Amino acid sequence: MAKLSAKRPRPDGKPALTVQERFSALRNLPEFLGLIWQTSPALTLGNIALRLLRAALPVAMLYVAKLILDTIIGLAQHPSPHTALRPVFQLVALEFGLAILSDALGRGVALLDSLLGDLFANRSSVRIMEHAAQLDLDQFEDSTFYDKLERARRQTLSRTVLMSQVLSQAQDLITMGFLAIGLISFNPWLLLLLLVAVVPAFLGESHFNERSYSLVHGWTPERRELDYLRQTGASDETAKEVKIFGLSGFLINRFRELSDTFYQQNKALVIRRAGWGTFFAAVGAAGYYAAYVYIISQAVRGRISIGQLTFLAGSFGRMRGLLEGILSRFSSVAEGALYLQDFFDFFHLQPRIVRDETKAIRPFPRPIRQGFVFENVGFQYRNTDKWVLRNLSFELKAGEKLALVGENGAGKTTLVKLLARLYDPTEGRILLDGHDLREYDPAELRHEIGVIFQDFVRFHLSAAQNLAVGRIEEMGNQERIQSAAAQSLADTVIKKLPGGYDQLIGRRFAGGVDLSGGEWQKIALGRAYMRDAQLLILDEPTAALDARAEHEVFERFAELTQGKTAVLISHRFSTVRMADRILVIENGKFVEMGSHAELLAREGRYAELFALQAAGYR
């Protein structure tokens, strides 16, 4: 593996971000604050109000401490039997009350931060899922997209910290404003000395934050690979293959190689950061004590009182701490704003397969009268030159059962994805009842199509919910769920489950029961029947079933698809021959089409493949 560095280019090929780019990322904050406001206006207003009140307390407490000292010294210098300590006790009581109020306000701010942060994280997660659901299938098949999705997911929880930092920044700036008034009235040069002491540390932190962001951002693909290796190396889904093939050593070594490389790069960065941080801290301390010596000298000369000495020293120390915190947090906020850009970048991705609002949407035909026509359809993935399908022309008539035959990689699954408009053709067009598929609402089109892919999802839900996935709005319709289970033979599986239809299936959660491949496939088939769509597409629907179960499934399939249009993909010719017509595809191109008998009589590619498979059973 090539050695990576902290200054490596970003995945988009651009160089590492500069300080100017980091500051420009602060433009993301208004939109971010707008999202916080939308999350809960009431909690946001309450948070701001509490922070404003708390911002004024530090200077008030310092001033009360000054009054206490000056009052005590005044009483000590003019002792009298008639001296009353009541004014001192009143000031102490006032300072005590301010301390209690400050603590209460701090706890209130922390409470609202927690509530608002949780709400924002939840809303952001929902927003990510909603936006991801709108994007096109081919975007999910792009590694660059997955990098953006992964970064957006990571920002969901960490951005709640940014929210607290931004609000704390505003609170501390207001506190500094109050404290600065006192310092300026005494000597404006103290503020300049304060800036000289603190700003170098800020610039150093900014530099190392930039290097840290460049390292983490550039490592996004490798971090996804680390997560994948971690999951693959210790997962119930991969345990069999890992043990059988002895893959643990390979996976561990690859994980160790990547993680060690990242560790070494990060180690070098944090060591340099610690060294420079120590130097800048010494500079800051020197500036603070220089100001402290000056204030003491003024008190010794009698130019200020002991109370003023306490107030000024306290104000300078508090301002130094606040300014360091503000500058350090500002660097963190700027870094957060960079990561926030990753969050917004994901939402800037837009689907291309959408309903065209500028044109009248054609209502979906119920029932389909003519069927589908492919006219010179070609498809290729973005950023590739290879054609998956090319010059494909054929007709799928209404009510017809069409089988797709071809070797792996011939383009069969891509064809049905085009039919369901999960993809749009790169060239050519697909017609439905004489009109381009693009004229129909994609959501309405998919609502009328039931598809079960070979790599169907095994949802870790109850048996009933796994079936209801086929028509999720019918989740509460137990009669329809049980009917779909009976049609797909999934009811024979569910009867064996301890909890019946309420049984959690899959091993991911406690109490779950795992199923065999064939049992899962019956559940998946049940989703297709649950959908009760006009067009039914089955991609290798019986690959994991035994011969008897396969025969039963297709007997029912023939009955249930009467009067409906169906597309069937299978490598088993015993299954294929039940179709009305068979389309043979090779390397993404049309080869031949006809009934089983017609294609055998033609002695073409279909007949050759049929003979090869038949020979295996002799």
Side-chain angles (χ1 to χ4, degrees), residues 374 388-389 392 394 402 404 411-421 423 430 537 567 569 583 585:
F374 279 59
V388 182
L389 296 172
L392 193 60
F394 69 93
L402 177 69
L404 301 181
K412 303 184 298 295
T413 299
T414 300
L415 188 153
V416 298
K417 288 178 180 178
L418 287 166
L419 199 56
R421 214 183 164 205
Y423 300 150
I430 303 172
I537 301 173
V567 176
I569 299 176
L583 171 62
I585 303 175

Side-chain angles (χ1 to χ4, degrees), residues 571-611:
H571 288 288
R572 300 186 185 183
F573 286 88
S574 58
T575 298
V576 168
R577 64 192 304 170
M578 66 163 288
D580 298 320
R581 287 194 301 163
I582 301 164
L583 171 62
V584 182
I585 303 175
E586 194 168 86
N587 297 323
K589 296 181 179 180
F590 178 96
V591 176
E592 55 185 347
M593 189 173 187
S595 67
H596 172 73
E598 290 171 347
L599 294 178
L600 285 182
R602 201 173 294 168
E603 298 184 353
R605 182 59 173 158
Y606 177 84
E608 178 186 350
L609 294 173
F610 181 81

